Amino acid sequence: MKQLLKKYFGYDEFRPLQEEVIEHVLLGKDCFVLMPTGGGKSLCYQLPALKFDGLTLVVSPLIALMKDQVDALKTNGISAEYINSSLLPAEIQQIQEKVIAGKVKILYIAPERLASLDFKNFLKKVNVKLIAIDEAHCISQWGHDFRPEYRNLKFFKSEFPKIPIIALTATATAKVREDIVRQLLLDNSRSFISSFNRENLEMIVTRKRKAFDKLLGLLQKHKNESAIIYCFSRKDTEKIAMYLQLEGFKALPYHAGLNSETRKKNQELFIKDEALIIVATIAFGMGIDKPNVRLVVHYTFPKTIEGYYQEIGRAGRDGLPSECVLFYSYGDIRKHEFFIDQMKDAVEQEKSREKLNQIIKYCETIICRRKYVLGYFGEEYSFPSSDGKELDKKSCEACDICLNPNLLFDAAEISQKIISCVIRTGNRFGRNYIADVLLGKSSQQIIDNQHNNLSVFGIVSDFNKDEINHITKSLIAYEFLQVSSGKYPIVSVTEKGILFLKQKEALKLPKMHEDLEGQEKSVSRRKIQYDFDLFEKLREFRKQIANKNNVPPFMIFSDVSLQEMARYFPADKNSFAKIEGVGIRKLENFSEVFLAVINNYIKENNIQSVEILNRVQNRNVKKNNSFAVPDRYIRTKKMISQKLSISEIADKQGFKYGTIVAHIKKLISNGEDIDIDYLKPPQERLEKIKTAFEKCGDEKLKPVFEYLKGEYSYDEIRLGKLFYK
Ligand code: ADP
Ligand code: ZN
């Protein structure tokens, strides 16, 4: 499978869970796959499709995406087609014939096809080996995107009970998950649920002050990269797009009020890297699959955490570091509240209010944003160790809270004052009132309540009202205080708050961030190092090639591939083949022209050939040094320091034995300081394995296994190889 992965897709490694899912699918069993956007779901059925001697049928509701997916497969040399309402009957006929003749490996269809008797009859003439249901949540009424056409899919199990089904989605609660499995009549299916953490996304919340200047700063930082800016209203998108154009940025608006032609055109310009910035309402994003969006800005914060996570999910699908910045202001809370107040349905209104409170809490939180969001979705997030030295570092290294620990201040005293004031005034007032009492404001209401006689009246002089409000919100996030929902939220103390008062604990809270300073370094630190000028040249060149081939640039090569080219300077076809994303078809079609650009650059800049050689040879080593080390390696490293056995480590991470051995190999070649002596097999066995490898060569394990007459397991052989090498 690894060979197929490199051959057709150009990748060396599977992403988490991909390998497990694929193995399961190849056994001919049903399964359900839940992975975040960008997790790499498509590969879970595209790779098995290459192994099966028949057709893989893919159902997808997104007609606009089908062509892209099929084009992408074709550029990788995989024969794929699609059938949907955008095609003429004659074209459909042609494709069907091609499929019946066995000339197509993967066929994408829209769900409504299955309503047609003709189509069903066609299917019966085809040797279907696997059915993949993309966006599987669409089948459930409990989901957020129910599509009645998806109900047609029941037909599969009733008509083709023997054909395995793989259902995939990025959004499903437990309830929807069960519903999908039930509705599709999946048989003894297994669920694969991956973490929703997107480690390459930096999550930042900042105060919305001098917002447009901040935005310009961000776009400057991401110059030449794709960005999406989400706004509150259609008018805002047009206004901001125009202002950005005046500043010299190629920015286009996108919202549901534009006519479909303009929408289509703007989207296409964005996908083709002709316009790098889209200023959109939430309507933008569903139909696009651009992997190299590097910046997502919420100019107005979104209405729900679900929406927020989906929108930032559109950044960095290719796994490269990308930045997500949310502008937060009290003014925008009121904008949202205003709309909620207009809602007619009381139940819906209450729900929306609750959702809004949750995103406000997220903005106000003082714990790691990542931990908070994942916790919201029911996932426990544990911090990675970054350098292997401080194993239990309490930082995700990619959110504003974790990146700015020194933005905290000693808040014990002011917090005690606020909490006391809430208690003294009887747990019956809102934030503003509490602040007014603390500041000693003699408003009519305060005098009527005789709160000007309390000991807390006017007790605060070193904070202003905004600041007190901010701290109060932090105390709510910390659950020392709680707030009721509704139009006039009332703040009251919690048990935790009372305990805090009694015990006089220390407490640090974040200052209000005013700007994004200090966050600049983080993103660039995590990027791989490459020759920036060459990258630019390659990117320009990619655009030309893409236009010639009439596909989006990312389909020719991803940014990851170009960055690797600009790092390792492959000088010939052999080294070019090692670049990530270069499979056989792309090697054939594009290596020559890209190599010409690279070699030209090498000549122009007098880069020494020795250096190039080293770079290519050291690719794997360097890659690990420079890429952000994936979580899984760090977890393996940590467990090795705890002296766990390889099987235990494998079990804990849900990987295979061999994968863990591969991790260890990488960690060692990466120069990581790990002690694996305790894993060493007994000396005489090690000698036997070594002899076997010397006799049989170390390319393949099977001859070695056979040479040893089955007395040594594959796992032991793998491990032995690691040691004698
Ligand atoms: P999803 O459907 O889960 O949102 P995709 O299948 O579109 O994700 O994959 C997202 C991106 O990741 C694509 O650009 C894809 O080519 C890339 N990708 C998938 N699997 C791998 C892998 N094993 N190694 C490197 N890149 C991968
Ligand atoms: Zn964090």
Side-chain angles (χ1 to χ4, degrees):
M1 283 185 318
K2 279 257 171 83
Q3 275 172 358
L4 283 179
L5 184 68
K6 179 64 192 167
K7 184 172 168 193
Y8 285 100
F9 300 95
Y11 303 139
D12 297 317
E13 294 277 344
F14 284 105
R15 292 221 176 128
L17 278 188
Q18 281 180 333
E19 197 171 9
E20 289 80 353
V21 173
I22 291 168
E23 277 179 2
H24 185 85
V25 170
L26 287 174
L27 292 174
K29 295 183 187 165
D30 290 349
C31 66
F32 169 82
V33 177
L34 180 63
M35 274 186 194
T37 310
K41 286 185 284 299
S42 329
L43 209 79
C44 295
Y45 54 84
Q46 289 172 349
L47 196 77
L50 298 171
K51 276 223 152 187
F52 289 131
D53 63 336
L55 181 80
T56 291
L57 191 68
V58 185
V59 181
S60 163
L62 304 169
I63 291 186
L65 276 183
M66 271 185 209
K67 188 175 176 312
D68 276 0
Q69 274 157 337
V70 166
D71 284 347
L73 286 166
K74 283 180 174 168
T75 58
N76 279 328
I78 299 165
S79 103
E81 295 293 345
Y82 65 92
I83 294 182
N84 64 34
S85 54
S86 73
L87 298 183
L88 301 169
E91 292 172 313
I92 293 179
Q93 185 62 32
Q94 232 173 20
I95 290 169
Q96 290 188 346
E97 278 162 20
K98 213 170 143 190
V99 171
I100 291 171
K103 289 186 185 144
V104 177
K105 276 266 153 219
I106 304 179
L107 177 67
Y108 283 81
I109 59 161
E112 60 270 15
R113 282 294 121 188
L114 293 167
S116 130
L117 198 62
D118 276 355
F119 189 81
K120 284 182 179 174
N121 285 333
F122 151 72
L123 271 190
K124 287 182 185 149
K125 288 183 226 155
V126 182
N127 180 20
V128 181
K129 285 284 160 138
L130 173 67
I131 295 164
I133 315 251
D134 211 0
E135 313 288 342
H137 58 274
C138 294
I139 202 170
S140 174
Q141 252 166 333
W142 308 113
H144 60 90
D145 192 16
F146 171 60
R147 300 186 185 218
E149 317 88 79
Y150 258 61
R151 288 286 154 88
N152 292 328
L153 305 184
K154 276 185 178 156
F155 155 87
F156 286 132
K157 268 296 160 199
S158 58
E159 293 291 316
F160 303 113
K162 292 228 168 66
I163 302 177
I165 295 183
I166 173 174
L168 312 103
T169 173
T171 48
T173 58
K175 196 168 168 187
V176 173
R177 236 181 282 159
E178 283 162 25
D179 203 24
I180 292 170
V181 170
R182 201 164 38 85
Q183 301 265 5
L184 286 173
L185 310 166
L186 297 190
D187 208 17
N188 276 325
S189 74
R190 206 177 128 186
S191 290
F192 294 90
I193 296 172
S194 93
S195 164
F196 265 59
N197 183 25
R198 298 277 311 278
E199 46 186 290
N200 62 320
L201 299 189
E202 188 157 339
M203 299 159 74
I204 290 164
V205 175
T206 185
R207 293 255 286 168
K208 189 173 180 175
R209 269 207 194 139
K210 298 197 184 139
F212 193 69
D213 287 347
K214 273 187 193 171
L215 181 62
L216 289 178
L218 284 166
L219 292 172
Q220 207 62 49
K221 181 169 152 195
H222 292 273
K223 210 172 69 183
N224 294 337
E225 298 180 335
S226 292
I228 305 175
I229 298 155
Y230 285 110
C231 298
F232 187 71
S233 66
R234 297 171 181 186
K235 232 170 61 205
D236 288 352
T237 68
E238 294 192 2
K239 212 168 64 189
I240 290 172
M242 189 182 73
Y243 288 162
L244 287 176
Q245 284 165 10
L246 291 175
E247 295 286 337
F249 289 98
K250 271 194 182 170
L252 296 173
Y254 188 101
H255 58 75
L258 294 171
N259 62 41
S260 68
E261 216 169 288
T262 313
R263 274 209 314 260
K264 204 168 151 199
K265 198 186 79 209
N266 290 359
Q267 177 167 320
E268 220 167 276
L269 289 170
F270 182 64
I271 286 174
K272 289 192 167 163
D273 285 348
E274 299 287 348
L276 288 174
I277 304 165
I278 283 280
V279 189
T281 53
I282 51 165
F284 184 75
M286 266 309 277
I288 69 152
D289 213 344
K290 193 177 192 323
N292 57 347
V293 175
R294 293 278 161 265
L295 172 70
V296 169
V297 176
H298 280 91
Y299 203 83
T300 306
F301 71 92
K303 291 193 291 252
T304 67
I305 292 187
E306 287 85 350
Y308 168 69
Y309 206 60
Q310 194 171 39
E311 281 147 29
I312 66 169
R314 290 169 189 147
R317 275 165 170 251
D318 53 11
L320 288 176
S322 306
E323 193 173 12
C324 310
V325 181
L326 180 153
F327 288 175
Y328 177 62
S329 80
Y330 303 148
D332 286 343
I333 297 181
R334 279 189 279 283
K335 268 192 202 167
H336 285 307
E337 278 173 345
F338 178 79
F339 272 85
I340 293 173
D341 289 344
Q342 317 282 308
M343 291 171 80
K344 295 255 154 52
D345 181 334
V347 179
E348 283 302 310
Q349 189 177 45
E350 194 44 41
K351 251 201 225 162
S352 304
R353 234 181 229 132
E354 184 54 37
K355 295 265 177 206
L356 182 64
N357 278 335
Q358 276 156 348
I359 183 99
I360 292 172
K361 261 191 171 173
Y362 166 78
C363 296
E364 300 280 351
T365 187
I366 47 174
I367 64 164
C368 169
R369 308 267 179 218
R370 196 170 301 277
K371 199 171 175 62
Y372 190 96
V373 166
L374 291 171
Y376 176 82
F377 291 118
E379 181 178 335
E380 169 118 32
Y381 171 74
S382 46
F383 293 109
S385 67
S386 59
D387 49 8
K389 292 194 185 77
E390 291 169 74
L391 280 172
D392 293 307
K393 214 167 167 186
K394 295 255 180 297
S395 164
C396 77
E397 308 225 297
C399 82
D400 56 314
I401 305 271
C402 291
L403 289 169
N404 298 287
N406 45 5
L407 283 181
L408 299 180
F409 74 104
D410 186 351
E413 193 186 318
I414 178 72
S415 301
Q416 281 167 9
K417 287 177 180 169
I418 293 172
I419 297 171
S420 304
C421 185
V422 170
I423 297 172
R424 295 286 162 80
T425 52
N427 293 303
R428 322 185 264 124
F429 297 92
R431 275 198 308 258
N432 282 318
Y433 186 87
I434 304 291
D436 285 346
V437 173
L438 286 165
L439 288 168
K441 251 194 176 167
S442 307
S443 73
Q444 197 55 51
Q445 197 188 5
I446 288 176
I447 291 167
D448 289 349
N449 290 327
Q450 298 189 352
H451 286 155
N452 51 342
N453 297 329
L454 294 174
S455 60
V456 289
F457 182 76
I459 200 176
V460 174
S461 55
D462 42 355
F463 292 91
N464 65 27
K465 188 165 172 178
D466 256 5
E467 289 164 337
I468 296 174
N469 265 329
H470 177 74
I471 298 165
T472 307
K473 285 187 189 170
S474 295
L475 292 172
I476 293 167
Y478 228 125
E479 294 177 338
F480 289 139
L481 296 175
Q482 61 193 6
V483 67
S484 66
S485 59
K487 210 168 166 183
Y488 302 103
I490 285 168
V491 179
S492 58
V493 71
T494 64
E495 264 174 49
K496 198 173 159 193
I498 291 172
L499 212 65
F500 168 77
L501 267 195
K502 276 196 193 138
Q503 301 184 337
K504 301 223 169 355
E505 287 167 53
L507 178 64
K508 286 201 185 313
L509 293 178
K511 295 177 192 163
M512 289 192 269
H513 320 319
E514 287 303 340
D515 48 47
L516 297 160
E517 256 175 61
Q519 283 147 15
E520 310 269 323
K521 54 182 189 283
S522 54
V523 163
S524 48
R525 182 170 51 76
R526 291 161 68 95
K527 272 187 182 161
I528 71 167
Q529 288 157 10
Y530 56 87
D531 187 315
F532 203 72
D533 293 332
L534 177 57
F535 178 65
E536 283 309 313
K537 282 214 160 72
L538 290 168
R539 195 150 58 170
E540 242 346 274
F541 184 67
R542 170 177 69 178
K543 213 154 85 182
Q544 290 169 25
I545 298 276
N547 281 342
K548 229 188 265 168
N549 286 272
N550 203 16
V551 291
F554 64 79
M555 243 176 241
I556 302 292
F557 282 122
S558 70
D559 283 9
V560 182
S561 304
L562 297 193
Q563 288 186 5
E564 287 209 0
M565 291 176 209
R567 178 184 176 97
Y568 302 111
F569 299 93
D572 54 34
K573 228 173 151 178
N574 250 344
S575 6
F576 195 84
K578 293 187 185 138
I579 296 291
E580 175 164 325
V582 180
I584 45 162
R585 180 57 64 97
K586 287 188 179 169
L587 185 67
E588 220 170 87
N589 286 350
F590 303 124
S591 63
E592 221 163 283
V593 282
F594 275 85
L595 277 170
V597 175
I598 296 166
N599 281 322
N600 226 347
Y601 186 82
I602 290 175
K603 257 193 228 124
E604 269 172 22
N605 293 278
N606 227 348
I607 297 172
Q608 298 291 314
S609 59
V610 182
E611 200 180 342
I612 300 165
L613 203 69
N614 277 342
R615 277 188 149 115
V616 176
Q617 278 176 349
N618 290 342
R619 176 170 172 252
N620 281 326
V621 179
K622 292 211 166 171
K623 186 168 161 178
N624 277 330
N625 275 335
S626 50
F627 278 108
V629 184
D631 275 350
R632 52 187 190 280
Y633 291 97
I634 289 159
R635 282 196 292 267
T636 298
K637 181 173 176 182
K638 187 171 176 179
M639 289 187 233
I640 285 172
S641 75
Q642 296 165 344
K643 304 267 180 283
L644 298 188
S645 74
I646 295 193
S647 312
E648 281 174 303
I649 299 174
D651 279 348
K652 281 201 179 201
Q653 299 210 59
F655 286 138
K656 298 210 313 208
Y657 191 102
T659 309
I660 302 299
V661 174
H663 284 186
I664 296 175
K665 224 156 80 186
K666 287 234 160 152
L667 287 166
I668 293 172
S669 70
N670 201 20
E672 298 275 356
D673 181 19
I674 56 168
D675 180 7
I676 53 165
D677 247 348
Y678 76 103
L679 294 169
K680 199 168 176 170
Q683 194 57 34
E684 12 131 6
R685 289 184 80 82
L686 196 56
E687 287 298 334
K688 281 258 166 64
I689 294 171
K690 189 177 166 189
T691 317
F693 271 115
E694 279 163 358
K695 280 258 165 5
C696 315
D698 60 9
E699 288 284 320
K700 291 204 173 108
L701 291 183
K702 197 164 173 218
V704 175
F705 178 77
E706 279 163 6
Y707 178 85
L708 292 167
K709 303 194 184 73
E711 283 167 29
Y712 292 73
S713 69
Y714 273 107
D715 286 341
E716 198 179 348
I717 295 170
R718 280 194 188 100
L719 188 64
K721 186 174 170 193
L722 190 70
F723 276 93
Y724 90 77
K725 283 222 146 183

